[in-house]
Amino acid sequence: MNGGPRPGSETLRVGIACEGLRASVSARRMADATRRVLRAEGVREAMLSITLVSPSAMARLNRRHLGHAGVTDVISFGFSPTPGAGVVVGDVYVCPAVARANARAAGCGVREELLRLVVHGTLHVLGWDHPEDGTREASPMWRRQERLLAAVLRGQARLA
């Protein structure tokens, strides 16, 4: 007998680690947002981790893995699924301090920006990408991200 999920079932495992940092969004809400993105993208099996990190830790990740200097808001790593398994596996690192600065600059709430970064990072794990120039916010990924974020925020409003 196969130990995998039953046909039509889903297994979306999402772990949240805060590395001792406080965030204005609960771990449950971040995990729910991640699962909403996975479902919207047709993913049935996944193991994702979302880790909140300090600016110094994010700068180290950025230098070590991407070769870029300085801190950034989100970094994602998607790992190739095992052939035939179809399981999405990935890690998303989010820097709440940069999210706060982004929120101030954009005139939006910190909760919204943190959830935007969770959605953004999850889409990257799933293979979405965007240009790094001024057309970034007009890209298909960005438009998808904003539609998914709106759905996440509407869903959270119903929970409040």
Side-chain angles (χ1 to χ4, degrees):
M1 171 149 212
N2 184 339
R6 295 179 320 273
S9 70
E10 67 177 22
T11 305
L12 303 176
R13 293 187 178 103
V14 179
I16 307 293
C18 296
E19 300 288 309
L21 300 175
R22 292 177 44 97
S24 57
V25 176
S26 72
R28 184 181 62 83
R29 284 187 171 182
M30 285 186 272
D32 288 347
T34 303
R35 284 187 199 96
R36 182 179 288 264
V37 171
L38 293 168
R39 285 184 190 109
E41 293 298 302
V43 175
R44 309 292 295 158
E45 292 185 71
M47 293 186 304
L48 262 73
S49 69
I50 309 291
T51 305
L52 304 182
V53 297
S54 68
S56 60
M58 184 62 93
R60 283 192 302 275
L61 285 167
N62 202 15
R63 168 64 71 196
R64 183 177 308 134
H65 297 286
L66 302 178
H68 301 145
V71 68
T72 190
D73 51 8
V74 61
I75 294 176
S76 300
F77 301 97
F79 304 99
S80 299
T82 304
V87 178
V88 172
V89 179
D91 295 327
V92 177
Y93 296 89
V94 175
C95 184
V98 177
R100 283 190 289 280
N102 289 353
R104 278 192 301 275
C108 69
V110 176
R111 286 183 184 115
E112 178 181 330
E113 185 62 16
L114 277 169
L115 289 169
R116 176 176 285 111
L117 295 175
V118 167
V119 170
H120 187 92
T122 303
L123 287 173
H124 273 310
V125 167
L126 297 175
W128 285 82
D129 208 357
H130 55 77
E132 293 297 328
D133 61 18
T135 65
R136 173 183 176 154
E137 292 183 18
S139 71
M141 178 186 173
W142 198 273
R143 290 192 307 270
R144 181 69 173 150
Q145 164 194 295
E146 293 302 303
R147 283 192 303 274
L148 289 166
L149 177 63
V152 165
L153 294 173
R154 279 192 309 273
Q156 288 183 356
R158 285 194 294 270
L159 294 174

